[in-house]
Amino acid sequence: MSATPHQPTVTEREARQVAEAAREQDWRKPSFAKELFLGRFRLDLIHPHPLPADEDTQRGEEFLAKLRDFCETKIDSARIEREALIPDETITGLKELGALGMKIDTKYGGLGLTQVYYNKALALVGSVNPALGALLSAHQSIGVPQPLKLFGTQEQRDTFLPRCARTDISAFLLTEPDVGSDPARLATTAVPDGDDYILDGVKLWTTNGVVADLLVVMARVPKSEGSKGGITAFVVEAASEGVTVENRNAFMGLRGLENGVTRFHRVRVPAANRIGPEGAGLKIALTTLNTGRLSLPAMCVGAGKWCLKIAREWTSVREQWGKPVAFHEAVGSKISFIAATTFALEAVLDLSSQMADENRNDIRIEAALAKLYGSEMACLMADELVQIRGGRGFETAASLAARGERAVPAEQVLRDLRINRIFEGSTEIMHLLIAREAVDAHLSVAGDLIDPDKSLSEKAKAGANAGVFYAKWLPKLVAGAGQLPRSYNEFHHDVDLSTHLRYVERNARKLARSTFYAMSRWQGRMETKQGFLGRIVDIGAELFAMSAACVRAEHLRTKDDHGREAYQLADAFCRQSRIRVEELFGRLWSNTDDIDRKVVKGVLSGTYTWLEEGVLDPSGEGPWIADATPGPSTRENVHRPIR
């Protein structure tokens, strides 16, 4: 599709350069997941399981108790679903409770919770109603507080954080009608004008945007003499003249979500509201998401726990052929999957979150894997719950209640969870993002070899450096602790988890060998092999989840906290995961990627239009992508600040 007149036209290479420039280039701290993709199983980076400080635990537990009481007594989830709106009094109550400031430092009026307890709070709220979880998460994980915490000036923190902690809801505005995961084409502009910037453009899918008081807006500053310009982040007052919320969007799930379309027309933003330097906007966004992404798997863990509860209660009372359906193998395997996967997801989340709190490891890959794996597995668990419930799983909670049965919103949870595979980086984008980080060490030493812009002398130098690196690295992929029968024996108790850790070690090396072989085979074309890269990442996600599950089980055993049961769940999960890993390894080299590309070309060229005959298209009229030409709004402003 051609670019609209106001939109930058960029090549594929230029778009990639913009994304690459926004990456964190250095690895100053160790990363368990990065080492895993390199074939090095660094169990010492995650075991023994890191622990929160006693005062952090006490503060977190005290808030969770208050939040639980509020959720039980003040939130009507059925009403939110019915009216597709979160009542003002519910949001006001959360404000009074301090829920807007869970992650904000106490010196700014926040609660100062750790990432671990922030996630527990989101899981709790999200289990009652995911739209509420999304509101709190968008406000604190990617909204104004986190970018200011990481990149803001002291004056900005003093000005905005107290408001965000208690009264003001914030939103994050990056996506545009024709710009999703390709920010190089960002069209919203911020033109310097004295001590201000003039903001023009349209933003789409602005979660919290309909009710927000403060916005983080990504806009392109034009190049000028003495300024490189580029995509830049700003804090914008939602009540500013020229800001119009033109539409409140409606979705298949999260019906209470305050998500809209926001237009900026000649909006004056003080230069003092710019976050970081000009051109740093994407780096700020990506860095914010390093921990911000952990909010989604938190709510996925909450959903898994709820699915397990409903599956247990329902299958124990529903009888078929003389016994509860739980004891029929076809249903029992689904219950086992939900239980084992929920245990593993919580292990991944808590481990990643505690490492984020300690700040001694680089967790950019761990957080991304948690988001990717959590969102995919939660959808599968919810789908299995609907299947376990049968016709009742497809029936709405309101309909069940109307005919006298328990109002179990299984179909709603499935609808609500579906967006998590798209939110904050779709599964496909997460695959590419994680794959880029996973092969960073290779590109650092050999990247110039496959760069068409590099000279012969630069390629020769890169070849020499690569030779030194691979001469040391490749021999280490041949043998390791995973081949020694007594390795990781501290995980061998009534149930033996050491065998699973040995499996992880062996297959981490196999994964690294597979990646190296693919780079040798495809070289510069490696980045186009998205199917292969996705499977590499999925194998890494499974190995990470297995590691986290075993470490969590051992941690609970040493605490005498359901340790025996935890070992059983970890064992079940690892056995299920190993089956998936073997399938993924097989599909690395035996797949339909090539024929799929041929079919796609045929579809787009019209070769198969005959296959579409015999149906009618109920879609309405209109363009595929709405016009986002800058200019004054012609729509009613549906902005609805909550006071």
Side-chain angles (χ1 to χ4, degrees), residues 297 300-301 304-305 308 333-349 373-382 384 542 545 549 552 569-570 572-574 576-577 580:
C300 290
V301 167
K305 288 173 178 284
L308 180 60
S333 64
K334 299 180 188 300
I335 298 172
S336 175
F337 167 73
I338 293 172
T341 304
T342 297
F343 177 82
L345 288 190
E346 188 168 38
V348 166
L349 177 68
Y373 196 69
S375 59
E376 289 291 327
M377 300 306 274
C379 275
L380 290 176
M381 288 191 288
E384 293 288 39
E542 294 285 0
R552 179 176 179 81
L569 288 170
F573 172 77
C574 288
Q576 295 169 9
S577 178
R580 294 190 291 267

Side-chain angles (χ1 to χ4, degrees), residues 168-185:
D168 288 17
I169 297 172
S170 70
F172 176 81
L173 281 63
L174 171 62
T175 305
E176 298 177 358
D178 199 21
V179 179
S181 300
D182 181 10
R185 299 170 60 244

